[in-house]
Amino acid sequence: MRPWKLTMQAFGSYGKKTTIDFADPNQNLFLITGDTGAGKTTIFDAIVFAIYGEASSGSNKKDGFELQSQFAEYTVDPYVELTFSEMSGGDEQFYRVRRTPRHLRPLKRGNGQKEEKEQVSLIMPDGTEYVQKETERKLEELIGLTKDQFMQVGMIAQGEFMELLRAKSDQKKLIFRKLFHTEVYQDIVDELGRRRKEMQSAMAQMRTACQTEIAHTTIPDDFDSSEEMEALKQRIISAEKMNVAELEGFQEYLKELCGILEMEQTKLCKIFEKAGRERDERRDAAIRGQTLEQSFIQKQQAEEILAQCAQQEEEFGRIRDLIRNIDAAYEIQNVHLRYEEAAERVKKMEEALETRRQRLPEEQARCERLSRETDAAKAEQELWQKKYEEAQLLVEETSEAADIWEQLRKEQRRAVGMQEEYAVVREQFQQKNIEYVSLHNAFLDEQAGVLAQEKLRPGEPCPVCGSLEHPHPRRISEKYHGLTRQMVDALKEETDRLQGTLTEKSTEAHAALELLREKEIQFEARVQKLHERMEKMAESENLRMVCQTTPVKLKEQKEFEDLRAAREALRRVQEIKEAKETAYVRSEREAQKAKSAREETEILIRQYTEQLPELQSEQSTCAEKYRRVLQEKAFLESLSEKGTDEHQITGGTWKWIVEHHRKSDVRELQQKLDYYNRRKASAEGTLEAARKLIGKQERPNIEELQRQMEESEVTFRSTRSAYERVKEELRVNQSVQNALMPKMEERGRLLKEYTRVDSLYNRLAGKITGARMDIETFVQRYYLDRILHHANARFFEMTAGQYELRMVSTENAGVGKNRGLDLMVYSNVTGKEREIRTLSGGESFMAALALALGMSDQIQESSASIHLDVMFIDEGFGSLDNNSRDQAVKVLQRMAGGSKLIGLISHVTELKQVIEDQLIVSKDEEGSKVRWQIS
């Protein structure tokens, strides 16, 4: 990468657009010089910002609003544009990147400011713009370095390259990790540490699991070694570390205890089984006795219930008959009710039909009458609608006439005003004209006096008449002394102006009178038209008085109170019209109601006529059904015919039952009957079953059987308790024994693996006393050795062969702490090494510069894709003496002898004499400016 052109605008201290062409200098080594704060460092800030979006060093980052120049208005867009080249396949390809920082700009509307986001654009060699979302990645790919690497190799910021020289090993390790990607070695150490921690956790879990299992062990008091085993158990449970010997001893005790418990379990099992068989036999005998006793009790109870049922048989027979009679009575009642409802419906429909037939003629007559009234109301409504429209036209025309009258009055006032103005101007003109004539004559007279005073001499001819005698020469009046031609001419101009104004006023007054006559003619025509319409409107009595007086007012008085009268007439017409409309709507609504009522009556007459035969047939059917059900239920008492269309059916027994019994009584009586039947049937079944179970057996002694069963139950429970206790102790202890065996084997495997990982971790992480250097530092010493190889070639030359940089020896690198990347300085004069901090300021600058140059060489060697043909070095030369400075410049000139562009940012005066090509930076109230001074 090689920069060719840099453009800045409203960026940092550069307010105005500033372009630096790096192709201008004749040499690759040039000096960027100027006063402190002039804006020298801002130049490579702009280069770094254009590529990476950040400026300056990592300790003083600048972006966004900090980069917007204070020397430019917010209306000026800040940006940086860098043109650079990259080698591709032996050809030089040119790229152009333009980046705008985050900044503020004025709002397009109103006051205030708006924040604009950062934007970046990359123009490729073929002139196309690269995809904006991928621009950042593409730029880093083209350069081949991250921003931090670029700052170390291509942009050595002011004082920053001194940090690497004096940094501790741990700090250098972080820097080298980014530059040479050695983080994989630290990842190995981290992974080993993670595995080591996991194994420690697994072993702790194993110890906890063993302690938990042992805590579950049950030790019987009658065991011979119970005290020793209990004490060992407590020590193991409370121990913070696992004791293998104690665990093995506890396992021996546990094995012996389990053997004893197994033999005792076998013995108790036999006793327990025998006691169980004896208990079951006595329990079965007691159950059989209880069953037989229950059968004797059930037989006795069943016999007692059947005796009671025999006594109640006659009563429940009557209940059965009553239930049948109640059901029959209510069935007859339902049929009778339907018959009565049918007869009632026939009667009501016959009455309704007769009523509707009587009302039909009256409704037809009312409908015809209301129809005629509606037609008349509609005609009235239409008539008054037309009158309302005519009244509206009358109001409009009256309003127009009033407008014309108002215009006529305005024209009259205007004409009078014009005449008055004409009279005023005429008076002014006459006075001014008289004054002018008088002054003009006086001026001529005064001219004669001047002529007589200056020209007339006795015996000399008069220049006017030629007379030689002058008996009465004109004398100059004191009144008009000092009168001049200019005064007379000014009065003449004023008189002419008034005459012109008089002519204009005369013309305007004449035009106003003509317009007034036209308006009067127009008004007379409008009044005549309005008079004709008034005569038509006067046909109505309500409007006759108003319409007859209006034309008189218009013609004689020429006042337009008649407009209010016309509007009053319109209001009256509107009221009458609305009243007629309301009457028409009301009449139409009444007519519609009458029509609907007539139609409804006609429909109902048809419906009743059609439905009446069906209802009469239904009545006959219900009557026949009622007779039939009375015959079926044996309740028919009388059936008499009444008339030819109706039968009166009466009944006595069923009505008495309905009056004295509710229908719900059937449910209550049926429940009593069902209960009686169920009780009798259950007693008969129980008696039969009891007799079969008893057979020929005698009644048992229940108390004796119960006593024997309870004794066997006590014996069974005591043997079962002893057996289950031993069985549970054996189960728990065997479970502990079975769980401990695999855990002990797993612990041995974990311990072996942990020992191996722990040893490897401590070695690679530098955790061993006397060997504190970790593996990443060890690998980085390889890169540092190559860096020092390149650096010492420059440092040796800069110091005239006096010094070279060395790493701390391998033997001392891990003593006390990690010092694997610490630097020492070796003196070829004394043959001794010493700490790098002992160098003077100038020596430190040369050592740091040599180290930075060596690092640049190493980074480019380690990455074949990186072609960095630029380096900026910011300050530091002020600390060198003349000889050291000359040596450092020679080294840089040798580097610049190839294709690398090297810029030194410094204000040291001596460098100006050594380096001829200079970029001079200055600053004034408008911001920073640059200019090339070429050799």
Coordinates of all heavy atoms in Angstrom, one line a residue, residues 334-354 607-623 645-646:
N334 N -106.8 -34.1 30.8 CA -106.1 -33.5 29.7 C -106.9 -33.5 28.4 O -106.9 -32.5 27.7 CB -104.8 -34.3 29.5 CG -103.8 -34.1 30.6 OD1 -103.8 -33.0 31.3 ND2 -102.9 -35.0 30.8
V335 N -107.6 -34.6 28.2 CA -108.5 -34.7 27.0 C -109.6 -33.7 27.1 O -109.9 -33.0 26.1 CB -109.0 -36.1 26.8 CG1 -110.0 -36.2 25.6 CG2 -107.8 -37.1 26.6
H336 N -110.2 -33.6 28.3 CA -111.3 -32.6 28.4 C -110.9 -31.2 28.3 O -111.6 -30.4 27.7 CB -111.9 -32.9 29.8 CG -113.1 -32.0 30.1 ND1 -113.1 -30.8 30.8 CD2 -114.4 -32.1 29.7 CE1 -114.3 -30.3 30.8 NE2 -115.1 -31.1 30.2
L337 N -109.7 -30.9 28.8 CA -109.1 -29.5 28.6 C -108.9 -29.2 27.1 O -109.2 -28.1 26.7 CB -107.8 -29.3 29.4 CG -108.0 -29.3 30.9 CD1 -106.6 -29.2 31.5 CD2 -108.8 -28.1 31.3
R338 N -108.4 -30.1 26.4 CA -108.2 -29.9 24.9 C -109.5 -29.7 24.2 O -109.6 -28.9 23.3 CB -107.4 -31.1 24.3 CG -105.9 -31.1 24.7 CD -105.1 -32.0 23.8 NE -105.5 -33.4 24.0 CZ -104.9 -34.2 24.9 NH1 -104.0 -33.7 25.7 NH2 -105.3 -35.4 25.0
Y339 N -110.5 -30.4 24.7 CA -111.9 -30.3 24.1 C -112.4 -28.9 24.4 O -112.9 -28.2 23.5 CB -112.8 -31.4 24.6 CG -114.3 -31.0 24.4 CD1 -114.9 -31.0 23.2 CD2 -115.0 -30.6 25.5 CE1 -116.2 -30.7 23.0 CE2 -116.4 -30.3 25.4 CZ -116.9 -30.3 24.1 OH -118.3 -30.0 24.0
E340 N -112.3 -28.4 25.6 CA -112.8 -27.1 26.0 C -112.0 -26.0 25.3 O -112.6 -25.0 24.8 CB -112.6 -26.9 27.5 CG -113.7 -27.7 28.3 CD -113.5 -27.5 29.8 OE1 -112.5 -27.0 30.2 OE2 -114.5 -27.8 30.5
E341 N -110.6 -26.2 25.1 CA -109.8 -25.2 24.4 C -110.3 -25.1 23.0 O -110.3 -24.0 22.4 CB -108.4 -25.5 24.5 CG -107.8 -25.3 25.9 CD -106.4 -25.9 26.0 OE1 -105.9 -26.4 25.0 OE2 -105.8 -25.7 27.1
A342 N -110.5 -26.2 22.3 CA -111.0 -26.2 20.9 C -112.3 -25.5 20.8 O -112.5 -24.7 19.9 CB -111.1 -27.6 20.4
A343 N -113.2 -25.8 21.7 CA -114.5 -25.1 21.7 C -114.4 -23.6 21.9 O -115.0 -22.8 21.2 CB -115.5 -25.7 22.7
E344 N -113.5 -23.2 22.8 CA -113.3 -21.8 23.0 C -112.7 -21.1 21.8 O -113.0 -19.9 21.5 CB -112.4 -21.6 24.3 CG -112.1 -20.2 24.7 CD -113.4 -19.5 25.2 OE1 -114.3 -20.2 25.6 OE2 -113.4 -18.2 25.1
R345 N -111.7 -21.7 21.1 CA -111.1 -21.1 19.9 C -112.1 -21.0 18.8 O -112.1 -19.9 18.1 CB -109.9 -22.0 19.4 CG -108.7 -22.0 20.3 CD -107.5 -22.5 19.5 NE -107.6 -23.9 19.2 CZ -107.3 -24.9 20.0 NH1 -106.7 -24.6 21.2 NH2 -107.4 -26.1 19.7
V346 N -113.1 -22.0 18.7 CA -114.1 -21.8 17.7 C -115.0 -20.6 18.0 O -115.3 -19.8 17.1 CB -114.9 -23.1 17.6 CG1 -116.2 -22.9 16.7 CG2 -114.1 -24.3 17.0
K347 N -115.4 -20.5 19.2 CA -116.2 -19.4 19.7 C -115.6 -18.0 19.4 O -116.2 -17.1 18.8 CB -116.6 -19.5 21.1 CG -117.5 -18.5 21.6 CD -117.8 -18.7 23.1 CE -118.7 -17.6 23.7 NZ -119.0 -17.7 25.1
K348 N -114.3 -17.9 19.8 CA -113.6 -16.6 19.6 C -113.4 -16.3 18.2 O -113.5 -15.1 17.8 CB -112.2 -16.7 20.3 CG -112.3 -16.7 21.8 CD -110.9 -16.7 22.4 CE -111.0 -16.6 24.0 NZ -109.6 -16.6 24.6
M349 N -113.1 -17.3 17.3 CA -112.9 -17.0 15.9 C -114.2 -16.6 15.3 O -114.3 -15.7 14.4 CB -112.3 -18.2 15.2 CG -112.0 -17.9 13.7 SD -111.0 -19.2 13.0 CE -109.4 -18.8 13.8
E350 N -115.4 -17.2 15.6 CA -116.6 -16.8 15.1 C -117.0 -15.4 15.5 O -117.4 -14.6 14.6 CB -117.7 -17.8 15.6 CG -117.6 -19.2 15.0 CD -118.7 -20.1 15.6 OE1 -119.2 -19.8 16.6 OE2 -118.9 -21.2 15.0
E351 N -116.7 -15.0 16.7 CA -116.9 -13.6 17.2 C -116.0 -12.6 16.4 O -116.5 -11.6 16.0 CB -116.7 -13.5 18.7 CG -117.7 -14.3 19.5 CD -117.4 -14.3 21.0 OE1 -116.3 -13.8 21.3 OE2 -118.2 -14.8 21.8
A352 N -114.7 -13.0 16.3 CA -113.8 -12.1 15.6 C -114.2 -11.9 14.2 O -114.1 -10.8 13.6 CB -112.4 -12.6 15.7
L353 N -114.7 -13.0 13.5 CA -115.1 -12.9 12.1 C -116.2 -12.0 11.9 O -116.3 -11.2 11.0 CB -115.4 -14.3 11.6 CG -115.9 -14.4 10.2 CD1 -114.8 -13.9 9.2 CD2 -116.2 -15.9 9.8
E354 N -117.2 -12.1 12.8 CA -118.4 -11.2 12.8 C -118.0 -9.8 13.0 O -118.5 -8.9 12.3 CB -119.4 -11.7 13.8 CG -120.7 -10.9 13.8 CD -121.4 -11.1 12.5 OE1 -121.2 -12.1 11.8 OE2 -122.2 -10.2 12.1
Q607 N -108.7 -15.2 6.4 CA -108.1 -16.2 7.3 C -109.1 -16.9 8.2 O -109.1 -18.1 8.3 CB -107.0 -15.5 8.1 CG -105.7 -15.1 7.3 CD -104.7 -14.4 8.1 OE1 -104.9 -14.1 9.3 NE2 -103.5 -14.2 7.6
Y608 N -109.9 -16.0 8.8 CA -110.9 -16.6 9.7 C -111.9 -17.5 9.0 O -112.2 -18.6 9.5 CB -111.7 -15.5 10.4 CG -110.9 -14.7 11.4 CD1 -111.4 -13.4 11.8 CD2 -109.7 -15.1 11.8 CE1 -110.6 -12.6 12.7 CE2 -108.9 -14.3 12.7 CZ -109.4 -13.1 13.1 OH -108.6 -12.4 14.0
T609 N -112.3 -17.1 7.8 CA -113.2 -18.0 7.0 C -112.6 -19.3 6.7 O -113.2 -20.4 6.7 CB -113.6 -17.2 5.7 OG1 -114.2 -15.9 6.1 CG2 -114.6 -18.0 4.9
E610 N -111.2 -19.3 6.3 CA -110.5 -20.5 6.0 C -110.3 -21.4 7.2 O -110.3 -22.6 7.1 CB -109.2 -20.1 5.3 CG -109.4 -19.5 3.9 CD -108.1 -19.0 3.4 OE1 -107.1 -19.1 4.1 OE2 -108.1 -18.5 2.2
Q611 N -109.9 -20.8 8.4 CA -109.5 -21.5 9.5 C -110.7 -22.0 10.4 O -110.6 -23.0 11.1 CB -108.6 -20.6 10.4 CG -107.3 -20.3 9.8 CD -106.5 -19.3 10.7 OE1 -107.0 -19.0 11.8 NE2 -105.4 -18.9 10.1
L612 N -111.9 -21.4 10.3 CA -113.0 -21.8 11.1 C -113.4 -23.3 10.9 O -113.7 -24.0 11.9 CB -114.2 -20.9 10.9 CG -115.4 -21.1 11.8 CD1 -115.0 -20.9 13.2 CD2 -116.5 -20.1 11.4
P613 N -113.6 -23.8 9.7 CA -113.9 -25.2 9.5 C -112.9 -26.1 10.2 O -113.3 -27.2 10.7 CB -114.0 -25.4 8.0 CG -114.2 -24.0 7.5 CD -113.5 -23.1 8.4
E614 N -111.6 -25.8 10.1 CA -110.6 -26.6 10.7 C -110.8 -26.7 12.2 O -110.7 -27.7 12.8 CB -109.2 -26.1 10.3 CG -108.9 -26.2 8.8 CD -107.5 -25.7 8.5 OE1 -106.8 -25.3 9.5 OE2 -107.1 -25.6 7.4
L615 N -111.1 -25.5 12.8 CA -111.2 -25.5 14.2 C -112.5 -26.3 14.7 O -112.5 -26.9 15.7 CB -111.3 -24.0 14.7 CG -110.0 -23.2 14.6 CD1 -110.3 -21.8 15.0 CD2 -108.9 -23.8 15.5
Q616 N -113.6 -26.1 13.9 CA -114.8 -26.8 14.2 C -114.6 -28.4 14.1 O -115.1 -29.1 14.9 CB -115.9 -26.4 13.2 CG -116.4 -25.0 13.5 CD -117.3 -24.5 12.4 OE1 -117.4 -25.1 11.3 NE2 -118.0 -23.4 12.7
S617 N -113.8 -28.8 13.1 CA -113.5 -30.2 13.0 C -112.6 -30.7 14.1 O -112.8 -31.8 14.7 CB -112.7 -30.4 11.6 OG -112.3 -31.8 11.5
E618 N -111.7 -29.8 14.5 CA -110.8 -30.2 15.7 C -111.7 -30.3 17.0 O -111.5 -31.2 17.8 CB -109.7 -29.1 15.9 CG -108.8 -29.4 17.0 CD -107.8 -28.3 17.2 OE1 -107.7 -27.4 16.4 OE2 -107.0 -28.4 18.2
Q619 N -112.7 -29.4 17.1 CA -113.6 -29.5 18.3 C -114.4 -30.8 18.3 O -114.5 -31.5 19.3 CB -114.6 -28.3 18.2 CG -115.6 -28.3 19.4 CD -116.6 -27.2 19.3 OE1 -116.7 -26.5 18.3 NE2 -117.5 -27.1 20.3
S620 N -114.8 -31.2 17.2 CA -115.6 -32.5 17.1 C -114.7 -33.7 17.4 O -115.0 -34.6 18.1 CB -116.1 -32.7 15.7 OG -117.0 -31.6 15.4
T621 N -113.4 -33.6 16.9 CA -112.5 -34.7 17.2 C -112.2 -34.8 18.7 O -112.1 -35.9 19.3 CB -111.2 -34.5 16.4 OG1 -111.5 -34.4 15.0 CG2 -110.2 -35.6 16.7
C622 N -112.0 -33.7 19.3 CA -111.7 -33.7 20.8 C -112.9 -34.2 21.6 O -112.7 -34.9 22.6 CB -111.4 -32.2 21.2 SG -109.8 -31.6 20.6
A623 N -114.1 -33.9 21.1 CA -115.3 -34.3 21.8 C -115.4 -35.9 21.7 O -115.7 -36.6 22.7 CB -116.6 -33.7 21.2
D645 N -124.7 -27.9 17.2 CA -123.3 -27.8 16.9 C -122.4 -28.1 18.1 O -121.2 -28.0 18.0 CB -123.0 -26.3 16.5 CG -123.8 -26.0 15.2 OD1 -124.0 -26.9 14.4 OD2 -124.2 -24.8 15.0
E646 N -123.0 -28.3 19.3 CA -122.1 -28.4 20.5 C -122.6 -29.5 21.4 O -123.8 -29.7 21.5 CB -122.1 -27.0 21.2 CG -121.2 -27.0 22.4 CD -121.3 -25.6 23.0 OE1 -122.2 -25.4 23.8 OE2 -120.5 -24.7 22.7

